[in-house]
Each structure stands twice: as structure tokens, then as C-alpha cells.
Amino acid sequence: SGKFSVFSSMEFEVWDLKLEVHGCRFTIHHSQFTIHNSHSPLTDLYYTYYQSPIGLIKIGGTEHYIAELGFIDRPEQVIHGEPGVSEVMHQCTEQLIEFFSGKRRNFDIPVHQQGTFFQQKVWGELLQIPFGKTMSYLELSRNIGDEKAVRAVALTNSKNRIGIIIPCHRVIGSDKSLT
């Protein structure tokens, strides 16, 4: 059983019940979620950039949440969205400055990215990996209740659009290698 929040107004509760009756195995999946925010995730994003100690970071968001956070490797990746910077984006930049200066270990700004229920479950589990710790894809798969979903977990990890805040960089191979 686990409870997590990926978007400030979206909470999930997930549990699995495994039974064996007369040699037949059954798995009952229970999931429950509530969305309190009617704000459309398809809203145009504002963009801003932060020159971190390890590279230029693009921050995309709305007035309500951060939807993108990633490194810019080439000038053509710079996107000019709607003019202006929302308060949430300002808070994100401040928290990134605190993070890179060693004054912050966790972020407390609302985030949202579209994805399937499975993807939301994986991204929510990534938020549970403590600062300074790592977890293998296999451990992450076990934590979401499906040890055989290692490849799907890895693929979902690679689709995370909100790096650093949703710490996909803390997931490694079972042999401790960077994959």
C-alpha cells in the first residue's frame, strides 16, 4: 500500500491483494485517486532558464505547477513560450538555487506531467527515493508491486520530463551501473 502526490491536488492510493484458491492464483488491484484541480494540463507553458552550476536548465510551467525541467545541451533547444514567469516558476528557480548551494534536499512545489496510471505510479515512487540514495530499476519495480515490470519502469523513468525534482537520476542498474 502506498500514498503519494505527483501533482499538488492529485493523490493516489494503490494496493494489491494476491490470493491462491484451489491452485489458482488471483491478483486484485485496487487503485483510487482524486483530482481536485480542474485546471487543464494542456495549458500553454511559460518557459524560463536557470544557469545552474552544472548546466543550463529549462523550466516550463503554468501558474499552478511545473511541467518540465531539464538540461539544455544545444542552443536550438531553447524554446520561447508565453511571455512572463509564474510565481510557481519563480519558486522553482529559488528552490533550484537552494538545492545546488546545498541548502535544500527536497522540493515542495507542485508538479504535473501527463502519463498513464502506471507512469504516474512510477513517478510517484521516484519521489520517495531520499536525497543521497539510489535505487535499482528492480527495486523500483518491486516497490510498485510488479517485479516483472523492470523494462516498463526503466522506460517510464526515461520519459520523466521533470528531472531533479522527480529524481529519475537516482535510479541505477542492479549491478550499480548508470544505465
Side-chain angles (χ1 to χ4, degrees):
S1 176
K3 198 167 198 174
F4 54 87
S5 177
V6 173
F7 176 52
S8 63
S9 62
M10 180 186 299
E11 288 192 8
F12 294 88
E13 180 179 337
V14 181
W15 52 265
D16 293 333
L17 177 62
K18 297 184 182 200
L19 302 170
E20 186 170 333
V21 179
H22 302 293
C24 296
R25 294 181 185 179
F26 300 91
T27 301
I28 300 170
H29 300 284
H30 165 76
S31 55
Q32 176 179 6
F33 64 93
T34 306
I35 300 173
H36 297 288
N37 190 334
S38 61
H39 184 74
S40 169
L42 300 176
T43 301
D44 289 335
L45 298 179
Y46 298 112
Y47 286 96
T48 191
Y49 296 85
Y50 164 59
Q51 183 61 56
S52 78
I54 58 174
L56 184 63
I57 296 176
K58 176 177 73 173
I59 304 167
T62 69
E63 294 180 16
H64 304 283
Y65 54 80
I66 298 300
E68 284 184 47
L69 195 141
F71 288 96
I72 297 295
D73 299 323
R74 299 178 313 277
E76 63 269 14
Q77 291 176 303
V78 174
I79 295 174
H80 301 284
E82 293 293 318
V85 175
S86 70
E87 180 60 29
V88 171
M89 293 174 67
H90 180 72
Q91 291 171 356
C92 179
T93 304
E94 286 180 353
Q95 289 188 20
L96 285 168
I97 291 167
E98 292 169 357
F99 178 80
F100 285 112
S101 68
K103 296 177 184 165
R104 175 175 291 277
R105 292 180 169 211
N106 299 304
F107 294 88
D108 58 9
I109 51 177
V111 297
H112 175 72
Q113 58 186 328
Q114 290 186 307
T116 65
F117 177 76
F118 177 82
Q119 289 171 324
Q120 295 293 334
K121 194 171 164 183
V122 172
W123 294 327
E125 194 61 36
L126 290 173
L127 291 169
Q128 305 307 312
I129 304 172
F131 177 85
K133 301 292 182 186
T134 59
M135 178 180 290
S136 72
Y137 291 104
L138 180 58
E139 290 171 298
L140 188 57
S141 298
R142 288 178 180 149
N143 286 357
I144 65 163
D146 189 352
E147 185 175 314
K148 295 178 182 175
V150 175
R151 292 179 72 162
V153 164
L155 181 61
T156 296
N157 193 53
S158 74
K159 292 184 182 288
N160 177 25
R161 295 178 55 122
I162 310 174
I164 302 173
I165 296 173
I166 299 180
C168 53
H169 58 280
R170 296 181 186 159
V171 184
I172 59 175
S174 293
D175 63 356
K176 308 290 184 206
S177 67
L178 300 177
T179 57

